[in-house]
Amino acid sequence: MARRIRDPRYDLNQFFQDCLKSFPELELFFDDQATSSSPGWTTKTTASSGHAAEAEYQRTVGALFAVYWLLRLDSDGKESFCYGVDDNWNPVKPKSQASEENAKAFSQMTGDQKRSVFFNSFDWQPFSELVARAGCSGADDSFERTVALLCLTAFHDIMKLAKFRPIVQMDHAPYCGYDAGVRIHDHDVALSYVLEHFPDLLPSFAGLDTLQQRAVLFTQGQMQFNHGWFVQGEAPPGGMLCKFKTVLQSGAEERDIDLYFLHWVTDLSGAEAAPLAGAEKLVMKFPQSVLASFLWSMSFLRKLKSLSETELVEQYLEARWNVLLGSPVPSDRSAIALMRMVLMAQCDDSTKVVEAFRELDETDQKCLITELSRTGCSGQRYRSCPVTHGPAFLLYYSPALLQRNKNTVEGLRLSMLLMCIVFRAARALWPASESTADNTVTIQIASLKSTDLKELFMQPEAEYRSIWILQALHKLEGEVNLCRSRDLQTMIHESARFRILDLADSPKTAEAVLASAGTGTNRASQVNASDDFKRTVSGLPGSQQQRIVAFMGMSTWCCDHEAALVWLLAALNRRSHPTKLHLVQTVSHVRYQWMQYIFADKFSAGGDWELAPDLKSFRCGKVVVELYLAPCPSMEATLIQEMVKLAPKGSLENAGTWKEGDITGEDYLKLPGGTINSLLWSAPCPDIDLSFFDRFTCCKCIYVMGTPGGVNCPMRTWSIILERMHNMSTVLYITPQLTRNVRFPKAYVMSNPDWNAHMKKAIWDSVLTSMARRPEFPAATGPWGLTLRLNVANAIFCRNWYEDVMETDVKKAKIAPHVEMAVRAYVQRNSSDDRPMGSIVDELKSIGVQLPDESDPSFKTAVKESYQKALFENVLICIMTTDALLVQNSQNLSVTVDEEGYEKLKPRFGYTNQLTSLADFFGAEHALNVLKTLPLKRLTPAYDVVGMIFADLSLEQTLEVDGGIGLLVDEAAPPYYSNLLTQEQQSSSTNPVLMTQPQDAHCIYAAGPFG
């Protein structure tokens, strides 16, 4: 075949039949179930490019035909390359000579005119020279080189089929950034791995002589270069050119490099999957100027010997801009982003790309500017837009996305918006860090580029049960796919790292996406918002700004509210409309002092939050946050004392006292009235002026975090406050039975780019407290009910953590004698008769304990015995977990020397005296370090983030108070409602008072992704 390829008597049909006989790899494109005796059987298998497997087969055949034609340019190769072949496999002859066609714009030509212009006016000499430089021109050794090129072409795209992608073996790890046990999703790297470590799996490669095997492996492995990424501005410099630069500097054979370029040309030639129609991709899709630039770029890359990767790319982008637009390169920070997207889009009129970019929101422009200007090379930055930190992102197939929609400015704008959505999701999964500046993460978006924009942004009803997600496949690769909701739940259970892509172009579509994640019976669908809100909801879609009021209480002892605020701002910025958040901090100005300290980086010059001159509001993207203060004199002194006690040194000087330069809140009674989407109550404010609620004319729902008698709803004034809320709107208690089930995934905490070190440490410290530190209250303030409630909640977490690490149920583990003794001592201390019983009866009933009637003489004895039994069982789970995961962990031991010079092992952390206190735990810092290494899936509850998820859902254009996510909601039980309000108060309003029911948290995770 290779010897006859230039023979005029050797036609294309003979060549095709020889390819089928010579390259068994071609059969791999078809399913095992295929019954056809020859390739061509239609299959539903999909490749990584987004094309069906049969289409990849046709593209491979097209590339083989391109090799055949380019090696016959001096005979019939030009005609077939441009026009293809007829039904008898003979070259189609030119129909006319190019004349007036040359004066037409490329986009205005017919298909025949494009073929004619290419055939008659294209300069074929660079192709002939490339064939010669690659060693395939007909010289003495060209036979072996041609065989190598044909073999490479036959199996090059096999790894686009997912079922063939290899998993890195232990002996070969790490391989190109892939660790042992990780599947390689990049088809080029996957092929390189097989060629290098399992060459016999591909017979065509195994049959080559050693010299040609080395040449093929060089093009696929050592270079690790994709020319398409370079010419189209698709990739950042680091992930694209670092290995290529090393190859050039090491003195690689020039003809091996040219063999790669020749293979790239033939591979691109067959990309339209219509092999008998000629090289349609090059002839029909690219103006000759673009194709000429491709060939010119091959010699341009030789400059890499003397320039850095980033310098070369920037010079190339500037050169192409001057050719395509004939205008000066942009002088602002948008230069790199615009130059790259101009190359990606390949428009006849490149100014459309610039226009589309300028029509984006400022936040979207900044996103593209930043992400497209990362280099993936540590220490290298573009002159025109120096951006630090990494990793850089390569959106694989982003040029195809832009080219598919390049006919209109709006199509380009939406494509750019889609890129922003993917970039933001990727940045949440791979936070920017100086330590990863050398990394490039590849994000496969083949599924997006193959889908019509209308289907993406206005999802049809048939797809309501599916959601677009970006999943992290491993540390250097991610993939965008349409995920069924049931598969999403599996991913959540497995703690997969992913982000939901909010592609909704209208409120209706957003509602459908959220609804697809629901589980179980949605009682909330029958419980709607207040009557006042129903009358106005139809006018909200056109509103330019939506409003949320949130009562919060930031403090030094946990970071729930801080994490919740960060989550909400990110969620609101993903929406299409601007939002105003009225943030009301309660009790004291000290909360704003703490907020200014904990978010100092965000409030700093150039930070994410832009403060107003009066320091009473700030802007974060599309969200304006107005700050208010609702003082509570009765609680202020105690709050200040507690916050100062736990605050980092120097963080709360002059606590509670305003000074010049402090951010602060306006008087909450000056908060504007009118229509609001929701009010979130997640902090105590017992001294609130009840007239505050009268200013709001309509509100979809009031979300109350907690229950009556809890920290946010102190009983002294709660019934009065609830009455006003009930008159104002529907009230939904978000109960602990739900919020305890919504826990921060470990990966979310570890990699969250919006959390600072203090916030992350606070979460880990709460894990240590929940696991190891049992509550030890004085008798007067430690009722049985509270003690049991806290230990029952913590035991649930500990049981999960034990199973995460030990892969078995803690209840099946053997009880160590020292653990049992410690637990029995704890139970004895905390069940003495001098302690009040508190709500112990309700707590026991909530965990399924049956008690005798209160009139029974044995009632109190039964309560005590049941309490002691339940307390022992739950504390035992916590202490067994602490002992197995922490105390007995090998990392807990350190070698010390005693007074006599003998070495001995000493624990770094543990209980000071577990028989007298299970709260005193020394060596917390060391224990936290060990905790972070454990394979825990979920940490502690994201209590206040759940409240923010509901606040965000209140913006959905649906009447359901849960935003349509399928939450189990019912009328509030007596302790939450009827026992607090008189019959007259209840009948004064038709607004219901509701409460969330016990349920799993799947719908919350889907609505508020923590990926």
Side-chain angles (χ1 to χ4, degrees), residues 492-514:
I492 291 170
H493 279 305
E494 295 175 351
S495 294
R497 295 181 62 228
F498 69 95
R499 297 290 291 186
I500 292 177
L501 305 184
D502 185 3
L503 302 179
D505 194 41
S506 71
K508 180 180 178 181
T509 306
E511 173 190 346
V513 173
L514 287 170

mmCIF file of all heavy atoms in Angstrom, residues 492-514:
data_model
loop_
_atom_site.group_PDB
_atom_site.id
_atom_site.type_symbol
_atom_site.label_atom_id
_atom_site.label_comp_id
_atom_site.label_asym_id
_atom_site.label_seq_id
_atom_site.Cartn_x
_atom_site.Cartn_y
_atom_site.Cartn_z
ATOM 1 N N ILE A 492 -23.642 12.732 44.399
ATOM 2 C CA ILE A 492 -23.669 13.403 45.699
ATOM 3 C C ILE A 492 -23.299 12.412 46.799
ATOM 4 O O ILE A 492 -22.485 12.697 47.677
ATOM 5 C CB ILE A 492 -25.051 14.024 45.960
ATOM 6 C CG1 ILE A 492 -25.289 15.214 45.014
ATOM 7 C CG2 ILE A 492 -25.191 14.473 47.409
ATOM 8 C CD1 ILE A 492 -26.695 15.751 45.028
ATOM 9 N N HIS A 493 -23.892 11.221 46.749
ATOM 10 C CA HIS A 493 -23.601 10.220 47.771
ATOM 11 C C HIS A 493 -22.126 9.816 47.755
ATOM 12 O O HIS A 493 -21.546 9.510 48.790
ATOM 13 C CB HIS A 493 -24.477 8.976 47.552
ATOM 14 C CG HIS A 493 -25.868 9.126 48.082
ATOM 15 N ND1 HIS A 493 -26.139 9.458 49.381
ATOM 16 C CD2 HIS A 493 -27.077 8.993 47.464
ATOM 17 C CE1 HIS A 493 -27.447 9.504 49.564
ATOM 18 N NE2 HIS A 493 -28.042 9.243 48.419
ATOM 19 N N GLU A 494 -21.538 9.804 46.556
ATOM 20 C CA GLU A 494 -20.141 9.389 46.429
ATOM 21 C C GLU A 494 -19.175 10.545 46.623
ATOM 22 O O GLU A 494 -17.971 10.396 46.450
ATOM 23 C CB GLU A 494 -19.919 8.762 45.049
ATOM 24 C CG GLU A 494 -20.704 7.456 44.860
ATOM 25 C CD GLU A 494 -20.571 6.902 43.452
ATOM 26 O OE1 GLU A 494 -20.011 7.631 42.580
ATOM 27 O OE2 GLU A 494 -21.004 5.768 43.222
ATOM 28 N N SER A 495 -19.705 11.705 46.983
ATOM 29 C CA SER A 495 -18.886 12.910 47.204
ATOM 30 C C SER A 495 -18.052 13.258 45.968
ATOM 31 O O SER A 495 -16.900 13.682 46.091
ATOM 32 C CB SER A 495 -17.976 12.728 48.426
ATOM 33 O OG SER A 495 -18.740 12.628 49.596
ATOM 34 N N ALA A 496 -18.635 13.058 44.793
ATOM 35 C CA ALA A 496 -17.939 13.456 43.568
ATOM 36 C C ALA A 496 -17.805 14.977 43.543
ATOM 37 O O ALA A 496 -18.657 15.702 44.052
ATOM 38 C CB ALA A 496 -18.719 12.973 42.342
ATOM 39 N N ARG A 497 -16.717 15.457 42.953
ATOM 40 C CA ARG A 497 -16.496 16.896 42.857
ATOM 41 C C ARG A 497 -17.108 17.385 41.543
ATOM 42 O O ARG A 497 -16.681 16.997 40.462
ATOM 43 C CB ARG A 497 -15.001 17.225 42.912
ATOM 44 C CG ARG A 497 -14.342 16.880 44.237
ATOM 45 C CD ARG A 497 -12.866 17.252 44.239
ATOM 46 N NE ARG A 497 -12.697 18.687 44.062
ATOM 47 C CZ ARG A 497 -11.857 19.240 43.193
ATOM 48 N NH1 ARG A 497 -11.126 18.485 42.405
ATOM 49 N NH2 ARG A 497 -11.761 20.551 43.095
ATOM 50 N N PHE A 498 -18.133 18.231 41.659
ATOM 51 C CA PHE A 498 -18.788 18.736 40.464
ATOM 52 C C PHE A 498 -19.460 20.058 40.776
ATOM 53 O O PHE A 498 -19.637 20.436 41.930
ATOM 54 C CB PHE A 498 -19.822 17.730 39.933
ATOM 55 C CG PHE A 498 -21.032 17.566 40.811
ATOM 56 C CD1 PHE A 498 -22.196 18.283 40.565
ATOM 57 C CD2 PHE A 498 -21.018 16.697 41.881
ATOM 58 C CE1 PHE A 498 -23.307 18.147 41.371
ATOM 59 C CE2 PHE A 498 -22.123 16.545 42.692
ATOM 60 C CZ PHE A 498 -23.270 17.268 42.432
ATOM 61 N N ARG A 499 -19.819 20.768 39.718
ATOM 62 C CA ARG A 499 -20.594 22.002 39.843
ATOM 63 C C ARG A 499 -21.728 21.937 38.838
ATOM 64 O O ARG A 499 -21.558 21.501 37.698
ATOM 65 C CB ARG A 499 -19.730 23.243 39.534
ATOM 66 C CG ARG A 499 -18.583 23.452 40.495
ATOM 67 C CD ARG A 499 -19.030 23.870 41.866
ATOM 68 N NE ARG A 499 -19.587 25.212 41.881
ATOM 69 C CZ ARG A 499 -19.947 25.838 42.993
ATOM 70 N NH1 ARG A 499 -19.824 25.251 44.159
ATOM 71 N NH2 ARG A 499 -20.433 27.051 42.946
ATOM 72 N N ILE A 500 -22.902 22.387 39.258
ATOM 73 C CA ILE A 500 -24.028 22.501 38.340
ATOM 74 C C ILE A 500 -23.862 23.780 37.531
ATOM 75 O O ILE A 500 -23.578 24.842 38.081
ATOM 76 C CB ILE A 500 -25.354 22.507 39.104
ATOM 77 C CG1 ILE A 500 -25.604 21.139 39.746
ATOM 78 C CG2 ILE A 500 -26.518 22.880 38.190
ATOM 79 C CD1 ILE A 500 -26.853 21.070 40.587
ATOM 80 N N LEU A 501 -24.033 23.680 36.224
ATOM 81 C CA LEU A 501 -23.948 24.851 35.353
ATOM 82 C C LEU A 501 -25.341 25.451 35.204
ATOM 83 O O LEU A 501 -26.239 24.797 34.670
ATOM 84 C CB LEU A 501 -23.394 24.464 33.975
ATOM 85 C CG LEU A 501 -22.041 23.750 33.959
ATOM 86 C CD1 LEU A 501 -21.591 23.523 32.530
ATOM 87 C CD2 LEU A 501 -20.997 24.550 34.713
ATOM 88 N N ASP A 502 -25.521 26.663 35.691
ATOM 89 C CA ASP A 502 -26.814 27.327 35.606
ATOM 90 C C ASP A 502 -26.939 27.974 34.236
ATOM 91 O O ASP A 502 -26.509 29.101 34.019
ATOM 92 C CB ASP A 502 -26.936 28.374 36.719
ATOM 93 C CG ASP A 502 -28.322 29.011 36.755
ATOM 94 O OD1 ASP A 502 -29.171 28.574 35.957
ATOM 95 O OD2 ASP A 502 -28.536 29.925 37.551
ATOM 96 N N LEU A 503 -27.538 27.228 33.297
ATOM 97 C CA LEU A 503 -27.657 27.709 31.918
ATOM 98 C C LEU A 503 -29.026 28.300 31.636
ATOM 99 O O LEU A 503 -29.359 28.555 30.486
ATOM 100 C CB LEU A 503 -27.400 26.547 30.940
ATOM 101 C CG LEU A 503 -26.048 25.857 31.092
ATOM 102 C CD1 LEU A 503 -25.924 24.725 30.092
ATOM 103 C CD2 LEU A 503 -24.919 26.853 30.890
ATOM 104 N N ALA A 504 -29.825 28.494 32.679
ATOM 105 C CA ALA A 504 -31.182 28.986 32.475
ATOM 106 C C ALA A 504 -31.175 30.395 31.918
ATOM 107 O O ALA A 504 -30.571 31.291 32.484
ATOM 108 C CB ALA A 504 -31.956 28.957 33.789
ATOM 109 N N ASP A 505 -31.846 30.594 30.776
ATOM 110 C CA ASP A 505 -31.931 31.928 30.181
ATOM 111 C C ASP A 505 -33.218 32.628 30.577
ATOM 112 O O ASP A 505 -33.471 33.737 30.184
ATOM 113 C CB ASP A 505 -31.851 31.808 28.650
ATOM 114 C CG ASP A 505 -31.581 33.164 28.004
ATOM 115 O OD1 ASP A 505 -30.761 33.928 28.535
ATOM 116 O OD2 ASP A 505 -32.208 33.441 26.981
ATOM 117 N N SER A 506 -34.055 31.951 31.352
ATOM 118 C CA SER A 506 -35.298 32.551 31.823
ATOM 119 C C SER A 506 -35.638 31.946 33.168
ATOM 120 O O SER A 506 -35.207 30.857 33.483
ATOM 121 C CB SER A 506 -36.441 32.270 30.835
ATOM 122 O OG SER A 506 -36.800 30.907 30.897
ATOM 123 N N PRO A 507 -36.423 32.646 33.988
ATOM 124 C CA PRO A 507 -36.811 32.090 35.284
ATOM 125 C C PRO A 507 -37.506 30.751 35.150
ATOM 126 O O PRO A 507 -37.333 29.872 35.963
ATOM 127 C CB PRO A 507 -37.743 33.165 35.853
ATOM 128 C CG PRO A 507 -37.305 34.439 35.184
ATOM 129 C CD PRO A 507 -36.888 34.034 33.795
ATOM 130 N N LYS A 508 -38.299 30.579 34.104
ATOM 131 C CA LYS A 508 -39.021 29.320 33.930
ATOM 132 C C LYS A 508 -38.054 28.164 33.768
ATOM 133 O O LYS A 508 -38.240 27.092 34.347
ATOM 134 C CB LYS A 508 -39.929 29.415 32.701
ATOM 135 C CG LYS A 508 -40.720 28.132 32.444
ATOM 136 C CD LYS A 508 -41.594 28.293 31.232
ATOM 137 C CE LYS A 508 -42.358 26.999 30.944
ATOM 138 N NZ LYS A 508 -43.208 27.114 29.753
ATOM 139 N N THR A 509 -37.003 28.371 32.975
ATOM 140 C CA THR A 509 -36.039 27.308 32.778
ATOM 141 C C THR A 509 -35.271 27.024 34.048
ATOM 142 O O THR A 509 -35.008 25.878 34.395
ATOM 143 C CB THR A 509 -35.057 27.689 31.651
ATOM 144 O OG1 THR A 509 -35.814 28.024 30.495
ATOM 145 C CG2 THR A 509 -34.138 26.539 31.330
ATOM 146 N N ALA A 510 -34.911 28.073 34.777
ATOM 147 C CA ALA A 510 -34.190 27.864 36.038
ATOM 148 C C ALA A 510 -35.032 27.043 36.995
ATOM 149 O O ALA A 510 -34.532 26.160 37.683
ATOM 150 C CB ALA A 510 -33.844 29.217 36.666
ATOM 151 N N GLU A 511 -36.316 27.325 37.027
ATOM 152 C CA GLU A 511 -37.203 26.573 37.908
ATOM 153 C C GLU A 511 -37.217 25.100 37.522
ATOM 154 O O GLU A 511 -37.167 24.212 38.376
ATOM 155 C CB GLU A 511 -38.613 27.151 37.803
ATOM 156 C CG GLU A 511 -39.659 26.327 38.556
ATOM 157 C CD GLU A 511 -41.075 26.776 38.240
ATOM 158 O OE1 GLU A 511 -41.234 27.866 37.670
ATOM 159 O OE2 GLU A 511 -42.003 26.034 38.546
ATOM 160 N N ALA A 512 -37.237 24.846 36.213
ATOM 161 C CA ALA A 512 -37.279 23.460 35.767
ATOM 162 C C ALA A 512 -36.006 22.713 36.142
ATOM 163 O O ALA A 512 -36.045 21.555 36.522
ATOM 164 C CB ALA A 512 -37.474 23.420 34.243
ATOM 165 N N VAL A 513 -34.867 23.375 36.026
ATOM 166 C CA VAL A 513 -33.609 22.736 36.398
ATOM 167 C C VAL A 513 -33.606 22.369 37.864
ATOM 168 O O VAL A 513 -33.216 21.277 38.271
ATOM 169 C CB VAL A 513 -32.418 23.656 36.070
ATOM 170 C CG1 VAL A 513 -31.121 23.071 36.619
ATOM 171 C CG2 VAL A 513 -32.292 23.845 34.574
ATOM 172 N N LEU A 514 -34.055 23.291 38.705
ATOM 173 C CA LEU A 514 -34.090 23.014 40.141
ATOM 174 C C LEU A 514 -35.090 21.913 40.456
ATOM 175 O O LEU A 514 -34.838 21.035 41.273
ATOM 176 C CB LEU A 514 -34.451 24.285 40.910
ATOM 177 C CG LEU A 514 -33.329 25.325 40.974
ATOM 178 C CD1 LEU A 514 -33.872 26.621 41.546
ATOM 179 C CD2 LEU A 514 -32.182 24.818 41.817
#
